[in-house]
Amino acid sequence: MPMQRSKTWRIILPLVLLIGFCYWLSGRVPYQRTESFRVPLQLYEVSPQVMRLKNWPKWFATGPDVDDTTGKEKQSSDSLLDLGHERVRMLASNPTSMQLLWEKNGRSYQEDIRLSSDSFGNATRVDWTERMDFRERVGRIFGNGGEQDLPVNRFRSFVLDPERYFGFGIHVAGVTDTLVITTTRTTTKADAARTLNELYTLLLDFSTRGSIAVDTNRNWLAAFTPNGQDSLMVMAGIRVKSKCAPVPGIQFLEMPGQGKMLIGTYDGPFGDVHRIYAAMQHYIAVKNLKTIAIPFQRFFERPASIDPGQHVVLELHYPIL
């Protein structure tokens, strides 16, 4: 028996020593990795989201705003992000780069983040570098829920998701407006609301004279195309169920029933409707979609006003392939 125990220890002891040495060594072996990706947003839009630590809670979700350990509210500023179980300190920064120090359980590591604009200024390149020892790297992967929970991947997931980034629901659906009557008129920006309603009235009168049924249930279509410094081309449309003899200035627009629409829903002041346009253009770029016609708005109710402060509920439709 003593002989067997001796042999067992001769095998176990070297293994224990080897494991201990590997563990010790893993804390001293440097590890560096750079993740690079493209964001279809301009540099000035991306920079505040990542270069200001105060904005990190928007996308670096870490649970409640109160630390369960101390019961104290977590703190964040442009130079410090207190997550309760760990802290992020800004060591250096400018609008396009920053150096961070992560501190947790007496250990620390660094991250460097750099932003650059593409040659056309329409997209931003993100280079996110981690500098730590190998043990810390393994611990962050297996201790934080895997690769997707790393800061770089949380930010990438956030900035490439239009619904999270802009706060709008966006989806692809089939074409429902297969037959629409439309008319257009050029007017000043200040007179756009009155012009739009005059065009709706013109279309309703035309449908009555032509004895064609209209569908105005959440189907007040409109498009506004800039035409010079202070003028707009205003398009009004209403879905109909049949055709009649056309008249000058009013057209029947037919869209294939097998076609597709990218649809986003907006609920807010009309003056901020540009935000849903930006969100959907971002979605189109991220998903590599191809548009085949100008977008149009679908008002759920006939708009009495499109003043900037007027509350509206509408859908924005992009015809796509």
Side-chain angles (χ1 to χ4, degrees):
M1 289 292 291
M3 182 77 67
Q4 291 178 345
R5 289 179 181 176
S6 177
K7 289 182 179 180
T8 302
W9 276 107
R10 286 177 185 177
I11 297 173
I12 293 177
L13 185 58
L15 286 176
V16 171
L17 291 175
L18 179 62
I19 292 171
F21 176 75
C22 291
Y23 181 79
W24 173 85
L25 186 63
S26 68
R28 284 152 181 79
V29 174
Y31 177 91
Q32 177 173 315
R33 185 184 73 161
T34 299
E35 289 273 351
S36 299
F37 56 94
R38 178 183 179 275
V39 179
L41 291 170
Q42 294 182 348
L43 180 63
Y44 78 90
E45 297 178 272
V46 178
S47 178
Q49 302 301 327
V50 67
M51 295 300 166
R52 298 187 63 185
L53 290 180
K54 210 167 191 176
N55 289 331
W56 277 41
K58 294 180 182 177
W59 54 268
F60 193 66
T62 55
D65 292 331
V66 175
D67 181 10
D68 293 334
T69 304
T70 64
K72 296 180 179 179
E73 184 178 349
K74 298 174 184 176
Q75 301 296 318
S76 64
S77 67
D78 283 341
S79 59
L80 172 67
L81 182 64
D82 188 348
L83 305 175
H85 60 289
E86 59 186 333
R87 287 189 172 193
V88 188
R89 296 184 184 275
M90 182 183 293
L91 301 180
S93 73
N94 61 52
T96 60
S97 68
M98 71 189 307
Q99 188 178 67
L100 301 174
L101 179 68
W102 289 76
E103 301 171 316
K104 180 180 180 180
N105 298 330
R107 298 178 59 82
S108 63
Y109 75 94
Q110 289 188 4
E111 286 187 337
D112 296 335
I113 306 169
R114 296 185 182 277
L115 307 179
S116 57
S117 183
D118 71 358
S119 56
F120 298 101
N122 296 322
T124 302
R125 175 188 170 96
V126 180
D127 296 301
W128 197 302
T129 302
E130 299 175 327
R131 291 189 175 92
M132 63 188 73
D133 59 57
F134 186 75
R135 186 196 308 170
E136 181 68 26
R137 168 64 180 172
V138 172
R140 289 194 67 81
I141 292 176
F142 290 100
N144 287 354
E147 289 275 350
Q148 69 272 16
D149 265 358
L150 296 176
V152 58
N153 291 329
R154 289 193 186 188
F155 179 70
R156 174 163 42 196
S157 175
F158 166 75
V159 79
L160 294 180
D161 184 340
E163 187 166 351
R164 287 183 62 199
Y165 186 84
F166 292 101
F168 302 110
I170 300 173
H171 66 282
V172 176
V175 170
T176 57
D177 306 308
T178 54
L179 184 60
V180 177
I181 49 174
T182 68
T183 187
T184 60
R185 184 185 300 171
T186 300
T187 186
T188 63
K189 293 180 180 178
D191 211 25
R194 184 180 65 83
T195 299
L196 179 62
N197 272 286
E198 287 179 355
L199 295 180
Y200 283 141
T201 299
L202 186 66
L203 293 175
L204 291 173
D205 289 344
F206 168 76
S207 65
T208 300
R209 293 195 306 271
S211 299
I212 57 176
V214 300
D215 182 1
T216 57
N217 180 30
R218 298 159 63 102
N219 277 305
W220 302 92
L221 311 184
F224 305 92
T225 306
N227 185 27
Q229 185 174 358
D230 190 48
S231 64
L232 292 171
M233 175 73 76
V234 178
M235 184 279 290
I238 298 175
R239 186 164 66 191
V240 295
K241 299 180 179 180
S242 60
K243 282 186 174 183
C244 66
V247 299
I250 295 180
Q251 298 82 34
F252 284 90
L253 174 64
E254 295 184 78
M255 290 183 278
Q258 68 272 21
K260 294 189 296 183
M261 285 283 180
L262 182 66
I263 303 173
T265 303
Y266 176 78
D267 184 344
F270 190 76
D272 289 339
V273 76
H274 61 89
R275 294 177 56 234
I276 186 69
Y277 278 88
M280 295 185 68
Q281 289 164 5
H282 179 42
Y283 187 100
I284 288 167
V286 169
K287 300 295 185 180
N288 198 27
L289 302 177
K290 183 174 179 59
T291 60
I292 55 176
I294 64 170
F296 61 87
Q297 300 170 15
R298 179 202 300 279
F299 291 93
F300 288 2
E301 296 180 356
R302 181 172 177 172
S305 167
I306 53 173
D307 293 332
Q310 177 69 31
H311 183 271
V312 296
V313 180
L314 59 83
E315 291 177 345
L316 182 59
H317 289 231
Y318 275 84
I320 58 173
L321 285 178

